């Protein structure tokens, strides 16, 4: 997968993508991530990317021109057509299902806004969809873009170890994680659950599944909607 990110702070992505799992994916050529500087697509000597809002008011608005030219530059580079995403609090909420959907695209372009807003014609006529990572205002779209790239790249075959991803798919789909423990077995008087030290892998599997269900029901009941988890929940209440 190739991801191009358009931003006025392209260096914000340097460290983010060169460490950990994404760094490995880039080394293995499973991912190509390029951060483009929006100012390279201006055509005045001050490299202006913003202007005052029509209608008046505080702050500045990101101009349409440089953003359109940046996307057009990316489009002309290659044959395969990119899926173009604008990160904004006005977008549809990003979740694991959206991450899966985006992971199937060969090319993504992520547009990061700044200042008080982006010229609406970018959302209306340049982008395929607008995505929000949550109901809060950030200083810009960059951190949201990094979140999307991280969640999407883990779903690209080969990025995460095969056994781990298969486990996530079938065992944990749509649930919160179960609690984890490591040595020592007793830490400051708190013991790790005995079942995890028992060596009985069937029991351990059952315990983890049950913990995941309990945790989800308690903290995020809104996630428990699928038929399988609902029937397991009923078993859980009776048993
Ligand atoms: C500022 C603002 C203030 C009061 C009420 C609503 C408001 N919306 C915004 C706003 O959208 N500011 C943006 C800052 C302008 C463009 C980029 N910025 C941005 C992107 N902030 N937060 C995001 C973002 C992106 C994806 N998911 C969550 C937040």
């Amino acid at each position: 997968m190739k991801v191009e990110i358009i931003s006025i702070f392209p260096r914000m992505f340097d460290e983010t993508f060169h460490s950990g799992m994404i760094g490995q994916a880039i080394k293995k050529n499973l991912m190509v991530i390029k951060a483009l500087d929006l100012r390279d697509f201006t055509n005045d000597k001050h490299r202006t990317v913003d202007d005052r809002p029509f209608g008046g008011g505080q702050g500045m608005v990101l101009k349409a021109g440089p953003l359109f030219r940046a996307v057009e530059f990316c489009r002309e580079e290659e044959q395969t057509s990119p899926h173009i995403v604008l990160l904004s609090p006005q977008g549809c909420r990003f979740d694991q299902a959206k991450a899966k959907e985006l992971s199937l695209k060969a090319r993504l372009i992520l547009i990061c806004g700044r200042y008080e807003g982006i010229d609406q014609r970018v959302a209306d006529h340049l982008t395929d969809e607008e995505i929000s990572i949550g109901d809060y205002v950030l200083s810009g779209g960059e951190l949201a873009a990094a979140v999307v790239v991280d969640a999407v790249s883990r779903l690209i075959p080969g990025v995460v170890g095969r056994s781990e991803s298969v486990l996530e798919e079938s065992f944990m789909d749509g649930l919160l994680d179960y609690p984890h423990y490591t040595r020592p077995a007793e830490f400051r008087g708190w013991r790790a659950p005995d079942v995890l030290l028992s060596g009985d892998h069937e029991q351990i599997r059952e315990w983890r599944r049950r913990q995941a269900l309990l945790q989800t029901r308690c903290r995020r009941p809104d996630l428990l909607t699928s038929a399988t988890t609902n029937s397991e929940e009923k078993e859980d209440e009776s048993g």
Side-chain angles (χ1 to χ4, degrees):
M1 169 183 276
K2 180 169 185 180
V3 184
E4 282 149 304
I5 306 171
I6 301 167
S7 159
I8 60 168
F9 297 119
R11 287 184 313 172
M12 274 185 75
F13 299 99
D14 290 353
E15 273 309 301
T16 324
F17 295 144
H18 286 96
S19 13
M21 216 176 275
I22 301 180
Q24 292 297 113
I26 292 170
K27 274 193 201 146
K28 285 194 267 178
N29 257 323
L30 296 168
M31 299 278 297
V32 175
I33 304 175
K34 274 175 61 184
L36 289 90
D37 189 341
L38 184 62
R39 290 190 197 280
D40 293 342
F41 302 93
T42 55
N43 39 31
D44 65 312
K45 101 167 182 240
H46 299 291
R47 313 217 317 151
T48 312
V49 291
D50 60 333
D51 206 340
R52 298 198 314 274
F54 280 137
Q58 285 286 304
M60 299 295 269
V61 173
L62 217 47
K63 291 160 69 66
L67 284 168
F68 271 75
R69 286 193 291 274
V71 168
E72 281 152 10
F73 169 85
C74 294
R75 278 211 193 98
E76 283 160 20
E77 252 186 337
E78 259 169 88
Q79 296 292 308
T80 48
S81 95
H83 185 72
I84 303 167
V85 175
L86 174 64
L87 284 316
S88 110
Q90 283 74 239
C92 297
R93 179 65 67 80
F94 185 65
D95 60 12
Q96 194 64 18
K98 178 59 75 179
K100 276 184 194 165
E101 193 187 310
L102 294 181
S103 74
L104 302 175
K105 311 276 186 194
R107 275 186 79 190
L108 289 179
I109 295 180
L110 305 180
I111 300 174
C112 307
R114 276 275 158 176
Y115 310 112
E116 273 56 50
I118 307 167
D119 190 302
Q120 185 59 31
R121 287 164 290 196
V122 171
D124 291 348
H125 306 294
L126 184 63
T127 60
D128 295 311
E129 65 179 325
E130 218 171 322
I131 292 179
S132 163
I133 62 160
D135 292 335
Y136 32 76
V137 178
L138 302 168
S139 319
E142 286 80 4
L143 293 175
V147 166
V148 168
V149 171
D150 192 298
V152 167
S153 55
R154 304 182 74 256
L155 299 172
I156 291 169
V159 173
V160 177
R162 195 177 149 75
S163 55
E164 293 165 59
S165 50
V166 167
L167 191 84
E168 261 174 71
E169 280 284 310
S170 57
F171 188 64
M172 295 293 297
D173 213 18
L175 294 180
L176 299 183
D177 206 358
Y178 50 81
H180 301 260
Y181 296 87
T182 186
R183 289 190 292 179
E186 185 172 325
F187 173 70
R188 299 192 177 179
W190 299 297
R191 281 197 60 77
D194 285 331
V195 59
L196 298 180
L197 307 169
S198 69
D200 184 337
H201 293 289
E202 190 48 44
Q203 287 268 60
I204 292 169
R205 214 181 133 77
E206 257 170 52
W207 182 87
R208 285 179 169 165
R209 178 78 191 176
R210 192 182 160 85
Q211 290 296 316
L213 272 165
L214 290 172
Q215 194 112 293
T216 310
R217 186 169 60 190
C218 175
R219 298 185 184 191
R220 292 292 306 279
D222 57 298
L223 296 177
L224 289 173
T225 49
S226 86
T228 50
T229 51
N230 281 342
S231 66
E232 276 186 80
E233 265 220 296
K234 295 213 179 70
E235 274 172 43
D236 217 58
E237 273 152 23
S238 56

